[in-house]
């Protein structure tokens, strides 16, 4: 019987996982990973600030839509085959102990992404996966006998029985053109996971301040909860990144010029903010507005918010009056800022968009357009908020492809 020839295009997280899974299942198959860069797994090496947040405990996830704004339904189905527990066991069984942080993010105990890179390279070596670096795949042609011909930037074309495309995100879309040419629908790619530029000197002077907030885009359903970090360029932190992820396409359409409303007192509603403030004022009429705040906000932020609400910090609470209190309630619960562009978060971003999920079989991730062609990882229209969910998607989809590509 002729040897089954499999090409994996892209030597990243999903590609390596697919290659190793396929070879473990069919040791007689020839599995070759083609990587355009001189080193494979270069992105994994820099994930999580060099520590690699490789998955999440999912303890605080009630609904996958919260963490996978795109692809939640497919992920729900595929996680049955390889979830965060499988990921944990996979790496630990291969000598990489893991730890779960208080925020439920999972890292290697070594706190070094190279432990993950080293483990994947060692597994590829152990199973005899061939790795060809500095080799960019530029085209794919389906042949009449069911095989697929790959064209390279340099070098002669080669034929394969099966091909998996694991080329990762492509925020400008250039890496998706050759796949679109085959007839795949591409969901237009836009960046996700970014911070907000806000041109308000008084706000940015509070840089370094962290507060638990609710942040939303007025007139839309987009909102997020969590810590907000004031930076020298505007706003960052988990709440902002989450909002940027859920509203990635909406904000791109607005050219990143939009309004955001901050509720500085987290999950309290306007009514609750009002009630707390009124009872506080009744109990503390002689205290000064600047020295006492009932929400435990950092004092610099509190002074800034009083000023935004038009209240002097030296006033007594009894002198503030109903109008003043109303203004303060509005500022605390619905403080609107103009976003003027986006920034990066520790150079970390993912692509929202990619190969439309309607074009792939939801059990095998085989293309519905080209037989024997599979997709895994960020090249698919699946992406997540921060916290290890993006790499989990790469492991899960890589595993599913590795399993089915040899069937
Ligand atoms: C700085 C940074 C930090 C991150 N940190 C985290 C984190 O801690 N946790 C987390 O869950 N997610 C993190 N992410 C997101 C995560 O890294 C990605 O979602 C994940 O790597 C996607 O895996 P992938 O295999 O699909 O793509 P990639 O890892 O990007 O791999 C794709 C590979 O394909 C190669 N390639 C592309 N086109 C071709 C071609 N035509 N021919 C040959 N090769 C090609 C690329 O060079 C690349 O090596 C981070 C992202 C960045 C940018």
């Amino acid at each position: 019987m002729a040897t089954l020839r499999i090409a994996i295009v892209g030597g990243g997280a999903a590609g390596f996982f697919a290659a190793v899974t396929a070879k473990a299942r069919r040791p007689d198959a020839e599995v070759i990973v083609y990587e355009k860069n001189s080193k494979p797994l270069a992105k994994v090496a820099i994930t999580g600030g060099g520590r690699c947040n490789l998955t999440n405990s999912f303890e605080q996830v009630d609904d996958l839509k919260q963490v996978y704004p795109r692809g939640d339904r497919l992920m729900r189905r595929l996680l049955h085959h390889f979830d965060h527990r499988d990921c944990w066991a996979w790496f630990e069984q291969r000598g990489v102990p893991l730890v779960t942080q208080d925020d439920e993010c999972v890292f290697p105990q070594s706190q070094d992404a190279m432990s993950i890179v080293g483990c994947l390279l060692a597994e590829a070596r152990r199973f005899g996966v061939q790795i060809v670096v500095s080799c960019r795949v530029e085209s794919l042609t389906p042949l009449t006998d069911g095989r697929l011909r790959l064209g390279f930037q340099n070098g002669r074309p080669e034929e394969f029985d099966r091909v998996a495309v694991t080329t990762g995100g492509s925020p400008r879309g250039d890496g998706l053109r050759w796949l679109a040419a085959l007839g795949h629908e591409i969901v237009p790619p836009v960046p996700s996971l970014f911070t907000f530029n806000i041109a308000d000197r008084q706000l940015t002077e509070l840089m370094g301040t962290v507060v638990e907030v609710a942040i939303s885009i007025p007139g839309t359903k987009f909102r997020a909860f969590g810590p907000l970090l004031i930076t020298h360029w505007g706003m960052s932190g988990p709440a902002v990144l989450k909002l940027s992820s859920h509203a990635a396409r909406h904000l791109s359409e607005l050219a990143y010029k939009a309004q955001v409303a901050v509720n500085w007192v987290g999950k309290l509603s306007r009514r609750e903010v009002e009630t707390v403030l009124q009872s506080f004022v009744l109990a503390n009429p002689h205290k000064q507005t600047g020295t006492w705040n009932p929400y435990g906000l950092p004092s610099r932020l509190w002074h800034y918010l009083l000023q935004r609400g038009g209240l002097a910090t030296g006033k007594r609470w009894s002198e503030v009056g109903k109008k003043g209190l109303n203004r303060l309630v509005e500022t605390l619960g619905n403080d609107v800022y103009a976003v003027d562009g986006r920034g990066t978060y520790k150079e970390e971003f993912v692509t929202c968009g990619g190969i439309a999920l309607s074009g792939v079989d939801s059990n095998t991730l085989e293309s519905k357009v080209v037989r024997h062609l599979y997709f895994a990882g960020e090249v698919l229209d699946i992406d997540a908020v921060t916290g290890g969910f993006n790499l989990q998607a790469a492991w899960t989809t890589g595993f599913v492809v590795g399993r089915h590509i040899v069937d």
Side-chain angles (χ1 to χ4, degrees):
M1 209 170 79
T3 307
L4 183 71
R5 290 201 87 207
I6 298 173
I8 310 280
V9 184
F16 264 71
F17 223 71
V20 169
T21 306
K23 196 70 174 140
R25 214 168 154 85
R26 272 287 292 270
D28 60 320
E30 184 184 7
V31 179
I32 309 178
V33 175
Y34 292 102
E35 168 54 50
K36 70 174 180 183
N37 289 331
S38 57
K39 273 194 184 160
L41 296 165
K43 198 191 270 182
V44 176
I46 56 162
T47 51
R51 296 193 299 133
C52 187
N53 176 197
L54 73 160
T55 187
N56 191 282
S57 73
F58 283 71
E59 284 288 317
Q60 288 171 6
V61 181
D62 312 321
D63 177 1
L64 281 184
K65 187 81 188 159
Q66 290 168 2
V67 292
Y68 290 104
R70 271 78 43 190
D72 61 307
R73 283 167 62 191
L74 183 60
M75 282 303 292
R76 187 166 304 127
R77 179 184 280 258
L78 300 183
L79 283 167
H80 288 300
H81 303 290
F82 194 89
D83 69 4
H84 60 287
R85 288 170 290 243
D86 300 311
C87 171
W88 181 288
W90 199 93
F91 282 100
E92 288 229 323
Q93 281 162 12
R94 285 160 181 80
V96 186
L98 305 177
V99 285
T100 307
Q101 292 186 167
D102 292 346
D103 61 2
E104 309 299 339
C105 294
V106 176
F107 289 85
Q109 212 173 71
S110 63
Q111 300 291 317
D112 184 355
M114 292 315 286
S115 308
I116 302 299
V117 171
C119 174
L120 291 167
L121 286 173
E123 280 299 280
R125 212 173 304 121
R126 181 160 80 96
F127 285 109
V129 172
Q130 297 174 51
I131 300 159
V132 182
V133 293
S134 305
C135 186
R136 180 196 288 268
V137 173
E138 286 198 325
S139 66
L140 184 147
T141 314
L143 305 177
T144 48
D145 61 2
R147 288 184 306 152
L148 302 166
R149 176 176 293 148
L150 286 186
F152 302 93
Q153 188 177 37
N154 300 304
R156 291 152 57 104
E158 291 214 33
E159 276 92 51
F160 295 89
D161 300 297
R162 313 279 157 84
V163 171
V165 172
T166 57
T167 46
S170 180
R172 285 190 305 276
D174 38 356
L176 295 163
R177 262 179 229 123
W178 62 290
L179 301 167
L182 291 167
H184 291 101
E185 188 197 330
I186 307 290
V187 179
V190 297
S192 178
L193 296 185
F194 46 85
T195 62
F196 298 157
N197 294 346
I198 292 175
D200 178 332
R201 277 280 300 279
Q202 281 170 319
L203 174 80
T204 54
E205 272 169 12
L206 301 174
M207 67 182 160
T209 305
V210 181
V211 209
E212 282 282 327
V213 303
I215 181 166
S216 60
I217 300 179
T220 73
K221 61 181 187 334
F222 300 116
R223 64 189 61 249
F225 300 100
L228 177 148
L229 167 69
I230 301 173
T231 65
H232 66 272
W233 67 87
M235 294 176 184
S236 180
V240 169
L241 294 171
K242 242 183 270 174
L243 186 65
S244 81
S245 174
H246 284 274
R249 194 163 300 284
H250 176 77
L251 289 170
S252 159
E253 280 160 9
L254 297 176
Y256 306 101
K257 296 203 186 304
Q259 290 197 322
V260 286
V262 181
N263 177 345
W264 293 103
V265 279
K267 291 184 182 177
L268 294 190
S269 66
R270 192 194 161 92
R271 184 132 204 89
E272 289 162 331
V273 174
E274 213 164 18
T275 313
V276 171
L277 195 60
Q278 277 166 355
S279 43
F280 179 83
V281 170
L282 276 178
N284 302 279
H286 304 302
K287 297 235 159 81
Q288 287 190 344
T289 54
T291 47
W292 284 86
N293 82 72
Y295 306 99
L297 292 168
S299 67
R300 278 191 333 143
L301 175 65
W302 178 246
H303 286 181
Y304 164 77
L305 293 173
L306 286 173
Q307 203 185 0
R308 258 177 98 75
L311 303 186
T313 48
K315 259 193 180 170
R316 291 179 197 286
W317 281 108
S318 55
E319 297 160 5
V320 169
K322 202 162 182 272
K323 269 194 186 155
L325 286 182
N326 280 345
R327 273 202 313 272
L328 184 56
V329 169
E330 183 66 14
T331 308
L332 285 165
N334 185 35
D335 196 14
V336 177
Y337 292 85
V339 174
D340 185 16
R342 65 182 169 87
T344 51
Y345 166 67
K346 296 183 188 167
E347 303 306 317
E348 184 170 333
F349 61 85
V350 293
T351 304
C352 151
I355 298 286
L357 301 184
S358 56
V360 294
D361 182 305
S362 50
N363 292 312
T364 63
L365 298 181
E366 185 177 7
S367 162
K368 289 181 184 169
V369 181
V370 178
R371 240 190 120 209
H372 298 155
L373 174 63
Y374 295 76
F375 294 103
E378 214 182 297
V379 70
L380 287 164
D381 183 22
I382 300 177
D383 65 276
V385 301
T386 54
F389 303 104
N390 282 298
L391 278 173
Q392 181 62 52
W395 313 133
T396 299
T397 53
F399 177 85
V400 168
V401 165
R403 192 186 228 192
H404 289 284
I405 204 166
V406 292
D407 283 346

